Amino acid sequence: MWQYFNKLASSLPSVDERRLRLCWSRNPLDTVSSEDYHSGYAMILSCVSKTCLKGFIVLGFLNDIAPKATNIRRWLTGLLVSMLVLIALLYWSAPAGVLEILVGVKRDWILVAGLFAVLTSGVRFVRLWILLPRSQRTFYLYGVISGHAFLNQVLPFRSGELVFPFLLKRATGRPYSVGLMDLLVIRLVELAVLILGFSAALWLWTTHSFSTNEMDINASSLWALGLGGVVCLLLGPVLMRTGLSIVSYLLQKLGRFHRLERMVVDALVAISALNFMTYLGLVVLTVVMWALLFVLYHAVLLAFDVDVRIVETVIGSTGAIFGNLLPVNGIGSIGTMEAGWVAGFVALGKEQTPVMAAGLVLHALVIVFLGITALTALPTPPRHQVL
């Protein structure tokens, strides 16, 4: 299998390293000429796509972890649907206006967004670090979170989530069932903190008149939403532990599916070993992660002169976040992320064209950054070299 992947990767067109450095060092939006703009942008897309494709085909993730997603017909169908959604959004947002705004982007704010992207990935690394036992902590965990984030972004229907336990076992030897439980705990905390942040931002927006846009929001709905976030945050691990105990008991009574029973028991032991201080640190770091992400989104919006407050950024960008969290995204989240982004800010009364331009640049920035950092997942970690 590896010989096949190496042969396939070697057959791809080579990338000129000088040309690649030129593409990543210059901003294609510097020029006013549309020909220079399109050629530079196409060069960047070509170089990045070839580099990422070579690396991850050789790694064999798509064949070993998501064999169904590699079916060419399904990939082409998903890509076609995603492109149709994106084309419809562009048409609705006046393509000429979007292109004109893209050319005039404020590069300083894009650099600020890039800085916060680096900080966010660092917080995610530390979060996974404290979640694992001391014997399994290694710097290869950065490759785990980077490779997982990239493939989760580009694979459809959130199938990239399956990569996380595989990468974690590869780096630390942690069983697949335990790695899956770690991922569920992380996602649970992320969702709970996001719901609480969205509820608080929406309450501030409606009560302090941050916008002239009238939106009828029931106060009881906000309280119910916030209460749901609190319950999810406080009782989530308890409910997961209770559910696993029930499943383990039923499997034991059945006397069959011994392998599945062992996996459930391993996951139950792992979730039971999660102490209060570790969980509190996980929650705090998740709050910091969302705060950094919202500042990143805010910087991208300011790069396109969108008149927006940070509270409005939290509310509007939540649509794009849910577009990524829910298993409805297509290949590369093309179209679904932009749809949630535009819908959220248009509902707040923002002008659609600059918001659409900001969403396109944000999406490109996320994919390029994750693609570069995901290269850290390529080296094979030593089996017993832990810190």
Side-chain angles (χ1 to χ4, degrees), residues 177 180 244 247-248 250-252 254 256-268:
S177 58
L180 183 60
L244 286 172
V247 172
S248 176
L250 293 177
L251 290 175
Q252 185 179 5
L254 288 175
R256 302 179 181 179
F257 312 107
H258 298 292
R259 183 178 179 182
L260 179 60
E261 183 182 351
R262 286 195 300 269
M263 294 174 64
V264 173
V265 170
D266 288 341
L268 179 59

Side-chain angles (χ1 to χ4, degrees), residues 54-348:
K54 280 188 176 183
F56 284 97
I57 283 181
V58 173
L59 193 59
F61 284 163
L62 302 183
N63 183 68
D64 293 336
I65 300 303
K68 294 183 179 180
T70 58
N71 183 282
I72 297 178
R73 185 176 300 174
R74 294 181 181 180
W75 271 78
L76 291 178
T77 303
L79 182 60
L80 177 62
V81 172
S82 299
M83 292 304 298
L84 287 176
V85 173
L86 182 59
I87 291 172
L89 285 171
L90 284 171
Y91 178 79
W92 185 38
S93 303
V98 172
L99 181 60
E100 182 180 355
I101 293 174
L102 283 172
V103 174
V105 65
K106 295 179 179 178
R107 296 184 300 276
D108 294 344
W109 283 113
I110 297 298
L111 292 176
V112 171
L115 173 62
F116 277 93
V118 173
L119 294 175
T120 302
S121 66
V123 171
R124 284 174 170 161
F125 165 73
V126 176
R127 186 178 60 176
L128 182 57
W129 177 284
I130 68 169
L131 186 61
L132 300 182
R134 188 180 301 273
S135 61
Q136 295 179 350
R137 293 173 180 174
T138 167
F139 286 118
Y140 282 97
L141 292 178
Y142 187 81
V144 173
I145 62 110
S146 300
H148 167 240
F150 176 72
L151 290 178
N152 205 27
Q153 182 73 27
V154 299
L155 291 179
F157 308 117
R158 302 292 293 181
S159 55
E161 297 284 18
L162 298 174
V163 177
F164 181 84
F166 168 77
L167 287 176
L168 192 60
K169 181 177 176 60
R170 180 171 172 263
T172 66
R174 204 164 172 83
Y176 291 117
S177 58
V178 179
L180 183 60
M181 182 55 55
D182 294 333
L183 179 62
L184 289 176
V185 171
I186 290 173
R187 291 303 188 216
L188 176 69
V189 174
E190 285 181 352
L191 181 61
V193 173
L194 178 62
I195 291 174
L196 287 173
F198 175 73
S199 302
L202 200 56
W203 178 79
L204 287 172
W205 187 76
T206 54
T207 57
H208 291 73
S209 301
F210 285 135
S211 174
T212 58
N213 185 41
E214 295 293 336
M215 183 181 291
D216 185 16
I217 299 176
N218 194 338
S220 60
S221 300
L222 288 179
W223 280 106
L225 190 62
L227 181 61
V230 172
V231 171
C232 186
L233 196 62
L234 295 180
L235 300 181
V238 176
L239 295 177
M240 293 172 66
R241 187 161 53 244
T242 303
L244 286 172
S245 299
I246 294 174
V247 172
S248 176
Y249 175 78
L250 293 177
L251 290 175
Q252 185 179 5
K253 286 297 183 181
L254 288 175
R256 302 179 181 179
F257 312 107
H258 298 292
R259 183 178 179 182
L260 179 60
E261 183 182 351
R262 286 195 300 269
M263 294 174 64
V264 173
V265 170
D266 288 341
L268 179 59
V269 171
I271 192 67
S272 300
L274 182 64
N275 58 58
F276 174 76
M277 293 306 298
T278 301
Y279 187 69
L280 179 61
L282 180 64
V283 172
V284 171
L285 288 173
T286 302
V287 172
V288 174
M289 182 203 74
W290 280 127
L292 293 174
L293 278 176
F294 287 132
V295 174
L296 186 157
Y297 301 151
H298 193 66
V300 173
L301 289 168
L302 293 179
F304 293 92
D305 291 324
V306 179
D307 185 14
V308 62
R309 297 175 182 268
I310 188 65
V311 171
E312 295 174 320
T313 299
V314 174
I315 299 171
S317 60
T318 301
I321 294 171
F322 274 116
N324 275 340
L325 288 180
L326 299 177
V328 297
N329 61 312
I331 297 174
S333 297
I334 298 174
T336 53
M337 178 178 176
E338 286 82 3
W341 177 269
V342 172
F345 286 102
V346 169
L348 295 176

Side-chain angles (χ1 to χ4, degrees), residues 322-380:
F322 274 116
N324 275 340
L325 288 180
L326 299 177
V328 297
N329 61 312
I331 297 174
S333 297
I334 298 174
T336 53
M337 178 178 176
E338 286 82 3
W341 177 269
V342 172
F345 286 102
V346 169
L348 295 176
K350 305 303 176 183
E351 188 178 352
Q352 181 177 326
T353 302
V355 168
M356 182 63 189
L360 289 173
V361 170
L362 174 64
H363 199 168
L365 177 66
V366 168
I367 291 180
V368 171
F369 175 77
L370 292 179
I372 294 173
T373 57
L375 296 177
T376 59
L378 293 178
T380 302

